[in-house]
Amino acid sequence: MIALVSGGSRGIGKAIVLRLAQDGYDVAFCYRSNAEAAEQLAKQAGEFGTRITATQCDVADPEQVRDWYNRTEREVGPVDAAVTSAGITRDRPVILMPEDDWNQVLRTNLDGVYHVCRAAAFAMSKRRSGSIVNLSSVSGIYGNLGQANYAASKAGIIGFTKSLAKETGPRGVRANVVAPGLIATDMVGDMSDAAVERMLKNVALGRAGKPEEVADLVSFLVSDRAAYISGSVFEIHGGGTF
Ligand code: NDP
């Protein structure tokens, strides 16, 4: 079994790479700039005994994604599971938001998902099997102060994935969305303490989630245990209200 994970070097993506390696997948993951973190993870995940490959690839760039995907299928083999975790935030109220912050977030989060899914859905549809999981966010469902660009990108991922599931379902390819609440990663480190406190106050379980807890859900969704699940959105937020 072969899995492809975008934004796999840190945070939730890293936990997904480790979990899928533990599940027995060869894993090809990409990162944007932090080669050191990627190399360390490749070593760590490799200890489960499967083949792990790390590639520098900016998901916002269609050419780079095409090359990464094609090279993975050529050198590792046919991809059974594709997971998109690459994502960024550039938080600012709408009235103060520079166009560059809007564009960067949309290009990375939404265009990035489109680039990876186009390649994966094409190859998987030809083989008539495969599973895709895209990482959205509760911000994309409920909105969030200071995150209009991020929320728009994450809401876009939901509409995109539901449409993709309709297109690929008849060809045996499933596509689903995971929408986490507050998960303890570097991305949360970028948020202000006040914003984190505000979010945690509304979480029934009273804590941030762990990346491994999101990875468990992804592991289930890409597996055959989820054979009848497609076009669905799974919120994972410890009983949060947003
Ligand atoms: P992190 O910031 O911890 O990690 C982001 C990862 O994505 C890194 O591996 C980074 O690589 C990679 N990445 C960023 N930009 C690009 C790019 N243009 N091309 C390729 N890779 C890229 O984020 P999280 O793990 O917290 O978030 C993962 C996903 O989950 C995101 O889509 C995020 O929106 C979503 N999410 C996170 C939540 C949270 O609370 N943490 C809540 C809800 C959703 P590098 O280090 O090299 O830049």
Side-chain angles (χ1 to χ4, degrees), residues 7-13 30-34 57-60 85-88 108 135-137 150 154 180-183 185-188:
S9 58
R10 292 186 295 113
I12 295 170
C30 84
Y31 62 97
R32 184 187 45 192
S33 52
N34 191 336
C57 166
D58 181 350
V59 293
S85 190
I88 59 167
T108 300
L135 269 291
S136 175
S137 162
Y150 181 76
K154 294 299 184 179
L182 196 67
I183 308 297
T185 69
D186 296 341
M187 184 177 273
V188 173

Side-chain angles (χ1 to χ4, degrees), residues 2-6 17 25-30 51-55 68 72 76 79 81:
I2 297 166
L4 180 117
V5 181
S6 78
V17 169
Y25 285 86
D26 291 333
V27 186
F29 72 89
C30 84
R51 182 172 173 186
I52 311 295
T53 48
T55 303
W68 172 47
T72 299
V76 186
V79 172

